[in-house]
Amino acid sequence: MSQPRPFNFSAGPATLPEEVLQQAADEMLDWQGSGMGVMEMSHRGREFISIYEQAVGDLRELLQVPANFRILFMQGGGLGENAIVPLNLSRGGKVDAVITGSWSTKSTNEAKRYADVHVAASNLADRHRSLPPASSWQLRDGASYVHVCSNETIDGVEFHELPDLKALGSAAPLVIDFSSHVLSRPVDWSRVGLAFGGAQKNIGPAGLTIVVVREDLLGHALPSCPSAFDYKIVADADSMFNTPPTYSIYIAGLVFQWLKKFEYAGKSGLAAIEQRNIDKAALLYAALDSSQFYENRVAANCRSRMNVPFYLRDERLNDAFLTGAKARGLLQLKGHKSVGGMRASIYNALPLEGVQALCTYLKDFEAQNG
Amino acid sequence: MSQPRPFNFSAGPATLPEEVLQQAADEMLDWQGSGMGVMEMSHRGREFISIYEQAVGDLRELLQVPANFRILFMQGGGLGENAIVPLNLSRGGKVDAVITGSWSTKSTNEAKRYADVHVAASNLADRHRSLPPASSWQLRDGASYVHVCSNETIDGVEFHELPDLKALGSAAPLVIDFSSHVLSRPVDWSRVGLAFGGAQKNIGPAGLTIVVVREDLLGHALPSCPSAFDYKIVADADSMFNTPPTYSIYIAGLVFQWLKKFEYAGKSGLAAIEQRNIDKAALLYAALDSSQFYENRVAANCRSRMNVPFYLRDERLNDAFLTGAKARGLLQLKGHKSVGGMRASIYNALPLEGVQALCTYLKDFEAQNG
């Protein structure tokens, strides 16, 4: 590539670091002198086992996952986990759920097929634009878990602090769907029982699902849970009960290595990427807020650092906006069909320069059309 | 790559055509001028939709899938499908199963968790080395389906003709697990209700599962079936209810295009690859049978064209055999741990020259050690 790559704001599958893609291309036919590409390796051979162990170890280090949590590489994505979580954790009993947007709504509806689900709080009346304060949640005694989507990809709402369920009087483990902001910031594991996420936003290719689960939550699957999706079976087999999505794990591993080496503003690793994410988000929200031409509708205290939905106040200009963006190499800015408008997903791999270019375009388009 | 690649006999994930890997490497950072790699594309964007539609169309053409069958791209592999099939098809009733090796045994055991499973026939007494004749199968009235593994990857047993259940007096649809010989030969769809297979043997990367299902079998899932694995929901969403494993579908699509252009012995496409598979298998079995040093233990009429397990009569030489093979660029010949010995998986992408090189090595090693 002699010219710079366009900036890709897709909500997922999403942009990946150029260095990662380049290394993957270079190693496609021969991984480190093995005579095989990674796609062609037995998952039981020492070559792939070394890739797997490095990836698990690096993810554990990046997210500072405590020793009493297991890291599982699974399949089926977030929508698959919406069933797999209650199949494994609900014991057919009570589940409390907090509705904060499209994804937590989907999770809640799917869980109802397996458990007695109670909506402990919801921001629906506010059209998913704010977060119901944890102090207002109606949690039940004896819930098997409490489900939260810690970053709503479509609505652009993010928990900047995870709820402390113990302080709220609940003994239930917290389950978080962190698909769209995993690895963008640290996780407070003292408040979490299980976290899951599809890889295709901040990690790597679609088709890999990350599950981080506290060991005491293993081994309680309902009888109807498929063996391949039983956390205990998967954990006992080191994610190799069935053939894992090997190439996706390899790409995820390259992303983890990229993150470990990442430096920004005098910081390194996850702290560095978090700082850059803070700076990118601040830049973009400031550009939107300073204009009467665009608007972001999410309450300031829970705006997502990853997914920034915004609207042109004159929506007749939407098509022209997208056409002009593409001409400048700003790709996939169209909003989700369920909410319309625009959305800039500014995941880890999207450079600061991408947000700067978008902000410049916002100004220029407004100047021409405002 | 200036020197030829080693020959990789892995049972799966398995060798892929060099041209496919080269094209994937070339397009890694920029697919056809889109400014995005395939891993970075929204699955709802027109670029990926075109990749998906081409792949489905090419697979339909290659396997001559009739119009009343749907092609689904799913996740979870063969072991996932072992639960997903009974969840979708059993209606909690009767399932008949034919045991022919390790994979059909696993499928049968998993199905027992969802249905009343009856073993209609088994070759266990023969240590999975022959096929029980269809005329001997004890099929039940009212079975929701009959399960068969049409090629046993570990045991090296293949159905060279699918059973005609109607002729056997059963009205049940036949379900075949064709993971390890899909696209190596045609499928007689008049005898099949559903076929499933993990992609990582003859198609592409691990993490993609192909399901080809007759439309009248959709819509009967048990209430406990996760939405993401409900065939009707997946079919209605064109395999995009959840984010599909997009990069794996892309690689599979490249393999389909490679197959469509494949020429051999005056034939083209699937007929050509089948002829080469016949020739490769004949060469290897002849080499084994002509020796007193090696043995393949499977009955001649049901030997797999894809997976050839064999044994050195003096098993103390196993390690030396594998070391010598690797030194000649003949990789991953070790047999499955459950049966020991050796196994040469000679899938579509393994060239004739690979089998020739293996046959030469068989002779040379015998000459040195026999």
Side-chain angles (χ1 to χ4, degrees):
Chain A
M1 303 280 294
S2 50
Q3 62 190 41
R5 303 181 80 215
F7 297 112
N8 177 356
F9 296 89
S10 173
T15 193
L16 288 167
E18 186 167 347
E19 303 92 302
V20 165
L21 294 174
Q22 191 59 61
Q23 183 173 346
D26 292 345
E27 297 180 336
M28 182 65 81
L29 282 88
D30 183 18
W31 182 80
Q32 303 193 2
S34 66
M36 302 177 279
V38 174
M39 272 183 228
E40 306 175 295
M41 292 175 183
S42 168
H43 55 299
R44 310 247 178 236
R46 65 178 173 77
E47 294 89 354
F48 183 73
I49 295 286
S50 76
I51 290 171
Y52 160 81
E53 288 181 346
Q54 179 87 40
V56 171
D58 285 345
L59 180 58
R60 187 176 288 278
E61 181 182 331
L62 281 163
L63 282 183
Q64 299 194 36
V65 178
N68 65 325
F69 283 72
R70 297 295 300 269
I71 294 174
L72 311 181
F73 292 151
M74 298 186 63
Q75 300 178 49
L79 283 172
E81 288 300 320
N82 284 347
I84 294 168
V85 169
L87 278 165
N88 276 277
L89 263 54
S90 75
R91 310 184 196 196
K94 296 182 193 172
V95 169
D96 286 350
V98 178
I99 301 277
T100 54
S102 302
W103 279 94
S104 49
T105 302
K106 286 185 185 184
S107 302
T108 301
N109 289 338
E110 184 79 359
K112 284 177 183 167
R113 307 179 56 224
Y114 303 99
D116 162 24
V117 180
H118 160 72
V119 176
S122 171
N123 64 355
L124 181 59
D126 192 32
R127 300 171 76 178
H128 304 318
R129 294 173 187 171
S130 62
L131 282 180
S135 58
S136 72
W137 298 5
Q138 303 292 314
L139 301 171
R140 296 181 296 178
D141 285 339
S144 55
Y145 66 92
V146 177
H147 179 99
V148 157
C149 178
S150 49
N151 185 67
E152 290 277 5
T153 322
I154 292 175
D155 306 281
V157 172
E158 181 171 12
F159 281 84
H160 292 293
E161 184 181 28
L162 292 176
D164 181 353
L165 295 189
K166 278 195 211 94
L168 297 172
S170 167
L174 179 70
V175 169
I176 62 170
D177 173 357
F178 66 174
S179 294
S180 50
H181 71 161
V182 56
L183 285 170
S184 72
R185 58 192 305 157
V187 174
D188 182 351
W189 293 107
S190 74
R191 297 186 173 185
V192 173
L194 182 146
F196 70 86
Q200 70 270 17
K201 289 146 192 318
N202 235 350
I203 293 182
L208 170 65
T209 316
I210 307 282
V211 175
V212 185
V213 54
R214 217 173 56 207
E215 284 177 337
D216 62 285
L217 300 176
L218 300 171
H220 307 294
L222 295 176
S224 58
C225 182
S227 299
F229 305 118
D230 180 322
Y231 292 142
K232 172 127 180 51
I233 291 174
V234 175
D236 285 349
D238 287 326
S239 298
M240 299 207 193
F241 170 73
N242 57 359
T243 310
T246 50
Y247 196 74
S248 301
I249 291 170
Y250 158 73
I251 297 290
L254 295 183
V255 171
F256 300 156
Q257 288 172 41
W258 173 79
L259 272 175
K260 282 176 68 178
K261 285 181 284 191
F262 189 80
E263 299 196 337
Y264 179 82
K267 302 177 181 182
S268 68
L270 198 71
I273 204 78
E274 182 184 26
Q275 187 60 55
R276 192 173 77 165
N277 288 330
I278 290 170
D279 292 353
K280 281 154 56 184
L283 201 61
L284 181 51
Y285 284 114
L288 295 168
D289 288 347
S290 67
S291 154
Q292 294 300 311
F293 191 81
Y294 307 101
E295 64 171 332
N296 168 279
R297 298 169 181 168
V298 177
N301 69 340
C302 57
R303 284 172 164 181
S304 170
R305 292 177 187 162
M306 295 284 105
N307 308 100
V308 183
F310 62 95
Y311 297 86
L312 279 64
R313 289 186 196 264
D314 181 354
E315 296 223 296
R316 291 170 301 180
L317 294 171
N318 280 358
D319 287 347
F321 180 87
L322 289 167
T323 302
K326 191 169 180 187
R328 290 207 190 184
L330 306 172
L331 305 183
Q332 306 206 73
L333 279 163
K334 192 172 181 180
H336 191 271
K337 61 185 173 185
S338 65
V339 293
M342 306 295 153
R343 174 173 48 173
S345 293
I346 51 176
Y347 295 125
N348 283 352
L350 189 96
L352 180 63
E353 293 73 19
V355 175
Q356 289 167 336
L358 174 57
C359 290
T360 301
Y361 176 61
L362 290 172
K363 271 192 195 166
D364 292 351
F365 186 83
E366 179 175 357
Q368 284 161 16
N369 297 276
Chain B
M1 302 279 293
S2 50
Q3 60 189 39
R5 303 180 82 216
F7 296 113
N8 177 356
F9 296 89
S10 173
T15 193
L16 287 167
E18 186 167 347
E19 303 92 302
V20 164
L21 294 175
Q22 191 60 60
Q23 183 173 347
D26 292 345
E27 297 180 336
M28 181 66 81
L29 283 87
D30 183 18
W31 182 80
Q32 303 193 2
S34 66
M36 301 177 279
V38 175
M39 272 183 227
E40 307 175 295
M41 290 176 184
S42 167
H43 54 299
R44 310 245 179 239
R46 66 179 172 75
E47 294 88 354
F48 183 74
I49 295 287
S50 75
I51 290 171
Y52 161 81
E53 288 181 347
Q54 180 88 39
V56 171
D58 286 345
L59 180 58
R60 187 176 287 279
E61 181 182 330
L62 281 163
L63 283 183
Q64 299 194 35
V65 178
N68 64 326
F69 283 71
R70 297 295 300 268
I71 294 174
L72 312 180
F73 292 151
M74 298 184 66
Q75 300 178 51
L79 283 172
E81 287 300 321
N82 284 346
I84 295 168
V85 169
L87 278 165
N88 277 278
L89 264 53
S90 75
R91 310 184 195 196
K94 296 181 192 174
V95 168
D96 287 349
V98 177
I99 301 278
T100 54
S102 302
W103 278 95
S104 49
T105 303
K106 286 186 184 184
S107 302
T108 302
N109 289 338
E110 184 79 0
K112 285 176 183 168
R113 307 179 58 225
Y114 302 99
D116 162 23
V117 179
H118 159 71
V119 175
S122 171
N123 65 353
L124 181 58
D126 191 32
R127 300 170 74 177
H128 304 318
R129 294 173 186 171
S130 63
L131 282 181
S135 58
S136 72
W137 297 4
Q138 303 292 314
L139 300 172
R140 295 183 295 179
D141 286 339
S144 55
Y145 66 91
V146 177
H147 179 97
V148 158
C149 178
S150 49
N151 185 68
E152 289 277 5
T153 321
I154 291 175
D155 307 281
V157 172
E158 182 172 10
F159 281 84
H160 291 293
E161 185 181 28
L162 292 176
D164 180 354
L165 295 188
K166 278 195 210 93
L168 297 172
S170 167
L174 179 69
V175 169
I176 61 169
D177 173 357
F178 66 174
S179 294
S180 51
H181 72 161
V182 56
L183 286 170
S184 72
R185 59 193 305 159
V187 173
D188 182 351
W189 294 106
S190 74
R191 297 186 172 186
V192 173
L194 182 145
F196 71 86
Q200 69 270 18
K201 291 149 190 315
N202 234 351
I203 293 182
L208 170 65
T209 316
I210 308 281
V211 175
V212 185
V213 55
R214 219 172 56 205
E215 283 177 338
D216 62 287
L217 300 175
L218 300 172
H220 306 295
L222 296 176
S224 57
C225 183
S227 299
F229 305 118
D230 180 322
Y231 293 142
K232 173 129 178 49
I233 291 174
V234 175
D236 286 349
D238 288 325
S239 298
M240 299 207 193
F241 171 73
N242 56 358
T243 310
T246 51
Y247 196 74
S248 301
I249 291 171
Y250 158 72
I251 297 290
L254 294 183
V255 171
F256 300 156
Q257 288 171 40
W258 173 79
L259 273 174
K260 282 177 67 178
K261 285 181 284 193
F262 189 79
E263 299 197 340
Y264 178 82
K267 301 177 180 181
S268 67
L270 199 70
I273 203 80
E274 183 184 26
Q275 186 60 54
R276 193 173 77 165
N277 288 330
I278 290 170
D279 291 352
K280 280 155 56 184
L283 200 61
L284 181 52
Y285 284 113
L288 295 168
D289 288 346
S290 66
S291 153
Q292 295 300 311
F293 191 82
Y294 307 100
E295 64 172 333
N296 169 279
R297 298 168 181 169
V298 177
N301 70 340
C302 57
R303 284 170 161 180
S304 170
R305 292 176 186 163
M306 295 283 104
N307 308 100
V308 183
F310 62 96
Y311 297 86
L312 279 66
R313 289 187 198 265
D314 182 353
E315 296 222 298
R316 290 170 303 181
L317 295 171
N318 280 358
D319 287 348
F321 180 87
L322 289 167
T323 303
K326 192 170 179 187
R328 290 208 190 185
L330 306 173
L331 306 182
Q332 305 205 73
L333 281 163
K334 192 173 182 179
H336 191 271
K337 61 186 175 185
S338 65
V339 293
M342 306 295 153
R343 175 173 48 174
S345 293
I346 52 176
Y347 295 125
N348 284 351
L350 190 96
L352 180 63
E353 293 72 21
V355 175
Q356 289 167 337
L358 174 58
C359 290
T360 302
Y361 176 62
L362 289 172
K363 272 193 192 164
D364 292 350
F365 187 82
E366 179 175 358
Q368 284 161 16
N369 297 275

